[in-house]
Amino acid sequence: MPFFWEKGARKLSKMSSDRALRKQQQLNNLVYVVTNQAKPGDRIVDFCSGGGHVGIVLAHMLPSCQVTLIENKELSLIRAKKRSDELGLSNIWFIQANMEYFTGMFNIGVALHACGVATDMVIEHCIKTRASFVTCPCCYGFIQNTSKFNFPKSEQFKKTLSYKEHMILCRFADQTAVQLPPQRRLIGKQCMCLVDLDRARAAEECGYSVQVISMEPESCSPKNNMIVGVPI
């Protein structure tokens, strides 16, 4: 997979070299998928953008697209804006807000390691706008029913799993840390895939073509699933 981080790599200089490499690999995977989907003039939204690592790389790689970073933490956006200014990017915008308050139209939504139901919020936002989505979920153990979401999400999984059984899957899906025994990590990965398959099936029921794929190399993150959806 192509290596996209050049100037942006310098922004991780304060990280350990191993962590910086893993972050670069994660970004390579997300950026590779998005750049293959994006068309000139597309509007791309980086949800839960943090310090802007994803959005800034996308703005650099896709100068004909408009990239908007949405983040509720002011300091994170200040850092992202500084990084963007240093690179001289002119196709990038910054919004400090919770994602549910964002009402703009866009073509592609992305999120790297949006925690718990934040991934489901991103997917829902994209479906409402009929936008494509590229998400990498995280913190499966924090998934639970909310005023907006009930789990399992898809009709297929609702016929098979109770809410309690789905929550057990979510708890085991967080058991993927590298320090755990291999067999336990394998079970965690399988549970992680089932949770994300439920998300994929729910999006398919809304008229999307969806794939659940793994980042490469898998060592780039214990949470290495990507859910990629395109409206049919």
Side-chain angles (χ1 to χ4, degrees):
M1 187 169 293
F3 184 79
F4 292 110
W5 253 31
E6 298 171 355
K7 297 178 181 178
R10 297 199 299 266
K11 307 309 174 185
L12 293 182
S13 58
K14 293 184 179 180
M15 291 185 181
S16 69
S17 58
D18 287 345
R19 185 185 173 197
L21 175 60
R22 291 194 300 271
K23 178 63 72 174
Q24 291 173 18
Q25 292 167 339
Q26 293 165 26
L27 290 175
N28 280 344
N29 281 269
L30 245 70
V31 172
Y32 178 78
V33 174
V34 175
T35 54
N36 276 280
Q37 288 190 6
K39 303 180 297 296
D42 274 356
R43 298 176 180 179
I44 302 170
V45 177
D46 178 12
F47 291 97
C48 308
S49 64
H53 293 129
V54 175
I56 289 172
V57 174
L58 287 173
H60 176 68
M61 294 297 302
L62 297 167
S64 64
C65 294
Q66 302 176 35
V67 180
T68 301
L69 277 59
I70 299 179
E71 169 61 45
N72 62 6
K73 297 181 178 65
E74 181 180 11
L75 289 178
S76 294
L77 277 187
I78 290 173
R79 286 196 296 268
K81 180 67 165 58
K82 181 180 179 181
R83 291 165 176 160
S84 172
D85 290 345
E86 290 174 355
L87 293 172
L89 299 175
S90 59
N91 61 328
I92 190 167
W93 286 264
F94 307 86
I95 297 177
Q96 184 186 353
N98 292 330
M99 75 174 81
E100 57 264 36
Y101 297 116
F102 176 69
T103 59
M105 298 299 295
F106 60 99
N107 305 99
I108 303 175
V110 302
L112 174 60
H113 290 153
C115 187
V117 296
T119 287
D120 301 283
M121 293 172 68
V122 171
I123 293 174
E124 180 192 53
H125 223 82
C126 293
I127 289 174
K128 284 182 177 179
T129 314
R130 301 306 292 173
S132 299
F133 57 81
V134 182
T135 65
C136 177
C138 192
C139 304
Y140 292 79
F142 290 163
I143 294 173
Q144 60 182 350
N145 279 352
T146 68
S147 59
K148 289 189 174 184
F149 303 109
N150 290 310
F151 296 90
K153 296 179 69 179
S154 68
E155 293 302 319
Q156 179 183 2
F157 274 66
K158 286 176 183 176
K159 293 175 183 177
T160 307
L161 295 178
S162 67
Y163 172 62
K164 182 177 180 180
E165 290 168 334
H166 187 271
M167 291 300 96
I168 292 173
L169 272 184
C170 292
R171 300 304 181 269
F172 275 98
D174 260 348
Q175 305 298 307
T176 55
V178 293
Q179 62 267 31
L180 294 174
Q183 185 61 29
R184 190 169 172 185
R185 293 202 309 271
L186 176 60
I187 293 172
K189 174 68 174 179
Q190 292 169 337
C191 291
M192 192 168 73
C193 288
L194 286 171
V195 173
D196 289 336
L197 184 61
D198 176 46
R199 287 164 157 160
R201 291 289 181 265
E204 288 173 349
E205 291 166 4
C206 295
Y208 273 69
S209 173
V210 188
Q211 291 181 301
V212 178
I213 58 180
S214 290
M215 291 183 172
E216 298 176 357
E218 290 197 10
S219 59
C220 70
S221 173
K223 300 296 184 289
N224 54 26
N225 275 2
M226 285 198 298
I227 309 174
V228 181
V230 179
I232 299 174

